[in-house]
Amino acid sequence: MSGTEDKAAEEGSVMPSRRTVLVLGAAAASTVVTIRPALAQTAGSVLNCEIPVPGPHAAGSHIARDGSLVPPGTPGAAPPLARPLRGEEARMLLRGSTPPGVQPGSSQAYANYIRRLQSGMSGFTCYASLQMPR
Amino acid sequence: MAAIRYIADAQEAVTVVELDGLSALFHAPSGITHIVAPPAPEILAALREGPADAAELLRRLRRHYEIEGDALEARLEELAQAGLVRRA
Amino acid sequence: MRSARLLVQALRAPETLRDPDWSALIAAARAEQLIGSLAYRLENLDIPPRIAAILEAAQQDAAQVRTQALWEAEMCRRALAETNIPVVLLKGTAFHAAGLDASIGRSVGDLDILVPRDRIEEAEAALIAAGWERMKAADGYDDLYYRRWMHELPPLVHATRDRMIDVHHTILPLTARPTPDADALIADAVELESGLSVLSPADMIVHAAAHLIADGDLAGGLRNLWDIDRLVRQFAADPAFWPTLAKRARHHQLERPVARALRLAERLYATPVDRAVAGRPSLSDRLFEARLLARNGWGQEKRKALRFAFYVRSHWLRMPPLMLARHLWTKARG
Amino acid sequence: MRHSLSLSIGPVAFRVGSAWRAPIDALASLYAGYATPEGGACDFTVRLEPETMWRRWVRPSVAIRGDYILPDAAPLPLGMGLLAAEMGMNLQMALGQKRYLLLHAASVEKDGRALILTGESGAGKSTLAALLGERGWRLMGDEFALLDMATGALRAFPRAISLKNGAISVMEREVIPTRFGPRIENTPKGTIRHLRPQAEAIARMDEPARPALILFPRFGEAAAARGVGQAEVFMRLTQASTNYVALGRAGFGALTGLVGAVPSAAIDYPDTDAALDLVETLWKAAA
């Protein structure tokens, strides 16, 4: 062990001096933010896009409160939306409000469905375009 | 069971630009940019001395710093998720 | 001239271009995902400054695509390292990882890997533990369909990198009539320095041909065919290549798709082929050629009926008739 | 395609094709006086085509396609063909631009130095840029700013300004009617009217400028300005860029260079006059 320490002491010049406090933080904290591709605000503001809820891959499914897809008739689940959401409506849902024509009790389920959209699924690029930095 | 040992990329693999208190870090092998806060740069620097497990790394860090908190393994896993360190 | 034809000419013999319709060429190359490959083929030619700038940016973009593809492979390696599951890279990522000529400017979308069938669920679990997520609803018809009939898992997408991985256990759907020998593909794979592997040269051609001719509707086929051209030109330097290819194609029950792919590569890209493996030109080669070239100077797809015929053919190839009916019925009922 | 038009906007050339005549006519009139790309070679192709074959005639709806396609892009009615063409050009830039680091930002120039205004949509950057463009600044663009990664200079991209809702009447009080495009009602973003930049902005579109100040405007609060940390500026700009990640090391170098060299501030404003005052004050301070 001591050999390693000597070697490290020689390289110590690249390190800050002793006694500086280094906080390792809590387990749940986060010290790394990875820059992700942002189709950004841009597409949101320049495009007219739509999010079907649910997408064609799950047509007929109902949406549970957590946004997952469940069979029709599941208690507490929201029915499919008759027409796709427009960008502005999706944005309202994500902000926690209810756009016209949507049952207030169902809006949380739809918002969570949108949050769970992933790359490749219908509506994803639209959702991505609604991600706004604050 | 032996503790997990971690390896960091060589210094040349990473370009760092300081942005008041935080660091923007361009990781050449992945082409990905990360913004990192302390203690991530310090952990990466200490790990560049050679592969180490959490206990060994803590010894290295203590030589230079007063350590607060005990979430070193969580920090290492976070760096591994980002691809900045890997398991040996 | 149809712009797809112009694109093929530019790739095959760039020095023969005479003041072409550059906008049409660029549009076709982008639509066929060949803009990176084209950018390298047109290097050092005398071209208008704006086009030169577009192609230079396409080269830089290709370099970044390569970095990303190799990184996804590396992250997959790290995720599976402790399982000791042998991992064979497929398609574009494999070309890049092995440093083949086919990788020059090659675009890569998803990461495709091949693992032994009896370990595919273990691979999926390890990937999910490392941050990949299932894309489709895990209880839907699609998932069941994938698991029962396809040659791959339902795609996984990485939660923070947004990149997809397709984990295959063979190279054609289980319902397709040819049954390639997946064990042999893995057994003969060539290990790279990283510990990841790529298919042997002959198997790489067999896979490219199977993918182009026996598994799809030929959409985007010009790029797959360009892969085959580049691979064949490089591999044929080895005198053992052609006999090995003939043997492997037969072994995997894919002699006809391999022969067809070679003939099409010859027709379009003047690929030097061994007649004994490629066979004699057939009348239907022209239909395939017409399908591959069905794109105009605006990048639009043309020849709707022909494209539809190949679309139906692709489903016909993949499924026995009764299953096809069931598949379409379930889809229609939603 | 039956109808088409090629158009140079700053360093980028577009080829727009359409199944109908009207969108091309509208585009030609809005962009009269813009240069035609030399030799006809274009960076991007935009196609306005019927969703399905019969939709060319029956309730015609315009699908926005081109070199790069967004699968979720919804079609627009033919009456909004001009908007479709504009969206098509934006889409190609957002998905396909690789020659410049693309920032979703408005920019204006004075004395060879550029002011960059960025922020979420609705922050009023288009309106501010349009107003500054009438008050002694050269408009470089209201939607996209292009950073030359080799030189660090900003390139102009002076498209017609896309004015929305309330901003339309603000500018109608300011500018002669002949510089406006048609009023397009009931679009997905409300009412839209395009405004041609001043002749000088069009004539000087090939002149780059050195970035000198970055502002993040926000409408609706009492007038205030605050400094923004470099890490936050960097983060915000990566999120305002459609191609930052795809550009790899070149993008990293260009963006860290920009953030390190150029001062920045977030500004709140209750009305446009307050915003213009703030801008002029901060601009003087940055000089």
Side-chain angles (χ1 to χ4, degrees), chain A residues 36 57 59 69 118-121, chain C residues 133-135 137 159-160 162 334:
Chain A
R36 297 170 67 163
H57 66 285
L69 297 167
Q118 284 171 330
S119 172
M121 287 167 69
Chain C
E133 294 175 343
R134 290 206 181 97
M135 262 186 64
T160 55
D162 295 322

Side-chain angles (χ1 to χ4, degrees), chain C residues 24-302:
Chain C
L25 178 59
I26 297 289
R30 284 186 175 139
E32 298 288 342
Q33 306 226 49
L34 277 163
I35 185 78
S37 311
L38 181 72
Y40 282 95
R41 288 293 284 169
L42 299 189
E43 226 171 21
N44 306 322
L45 285 187
D46 188 24
I47 39 188
R50 183 184 301 280
I51 301 301
I54 293 169
L55 294 178
E56 194 194 321
Q59 284 195 1
Q60 280 155 11
D61 193 40
Q64 178 70 7
V65 163
R66 174 190 162 82
T67 299
Q68 281 180 359
L70 292 177
W71 181 249
E72 279 309 297
E74 168 62 13
M75 288 308 268
C76 167
R77 186 196 67 74
R78 290 180 190 181
L80 297 180
E82 280 162 35
T83 65
N84 285 316
I85 298 172
V87 176
V88 183
L89 302 174
L90 300 173
K91 305 183 195 172
T93 309
F95 307 155
H96 283 290
L100 296 171
D101 291 349
S103 73
I104 298 172
R106 170 64 150 82
S107 66
V108 181
D110 308 341
L111 170 62
D112 292 279
I113 64 169
L114 176 71
V115 300
R117 191 175 186 185
D118 59 359
R119 306 199 65 183
I120 196 162
E121 255 131 37
E122 199 187 334
E124 184 183 31
L127 290 168
I128 287 172
W132 275 268
E133 294 175 343
R134 290 206 181 97
M135 262 186 64
K136 306 210 174 191
D139 48 5
Y141 165 77
D142 271 318
D143 193 71
L144 207 67
Y145 171 78
Y146 263 101
R147 284 172 198 278
R148 196 184 301 170
W149 303 117
M150 289 300 282
H151 50 309
E152 60 199 27
L153 292 172
L156 300 169
V157 63
H158 194 273
T160 55
R161 293 195 306 280
D162 295 322
R163 307 276 299 183
M164 284 216 306
I165 183 169
D166 281 326
V167 184
H168 305 246
H169 58 76
T170 183
I171 54 172
L172 277 184
L174 302 180
T175 51
R177 267 139 284 184
T179 312
D181 181 351
D183 292 340
L185 292 171
I186 293 171
D188 289 356
V190 181
E191 191 170 324
L192 306 172
E193 214 176 306
S194 63
L196 296 166
S197 303
V198 298
L199 294 176
S200 71
D203 283 347
M204 219 179 250
I205 302 283
V206 171
H207 180 213
H211 185 55
L212 175 66
I213 306 289
D215 187 26
D217 64 358
L218 274 84
L222 285 181
R223 186 187 68 172
N224 296 329
L225 203 60
W226 180 246
D227 289 342
I228 291 171
D229 171 82
R230 296 290 102 178
L231 293 172
V232 165
R233 285 175 195 265
Q234 190 168 16
F235 294 154
D238 176 1
F241 170 69
W242 288 112
T244 311
L245 178 58
K247 214 167 74 195
R248 290 304 271 197
R250 198 173 325 122
H251 181 76
H252 292 303
Q253 304 177 10
L254 286 160
E255 276 169 294
R256 288 176 53 174
V258 167
R260 171 88 74 185
L262 291 170
R263 292 199 304 274
L264 292 172
E266 183 187 22
R267 280 180 89 95
L268 291 172
Y269 296 126
T271 316
V273 300
D274 185 329
R275 193 57 53 210
V277 187
R280 292 274 135 217
S282 85
L283 223 51
S284 57
D285 289 350
R286 287 189 194 187
L287 281 178
F288 281 78
E289 181 180 7
R291 168 66 189 91
L292 287 167
L293 295 176
R295 196 176 288 282
N296 73 8
W298 284 87
Q300 290 169 302
E301 294 203 283
K302 290 284 141 187

Side-chain angles (χ1 to χ4, degrees), chain A residues 38 40-41 45-48 123 125, chain D residues 70 72 74 87 104 189 239 241:
Chain A
Q41 326 161 359
S45 76
V46 301
L47 267 175
N48 178 26
T125 49
Chain D
L70 200 56
D72 302 319
M87 283 181 168
H104 185 221
K189 299 177 199 317
Q239 296 311 293
S241 170

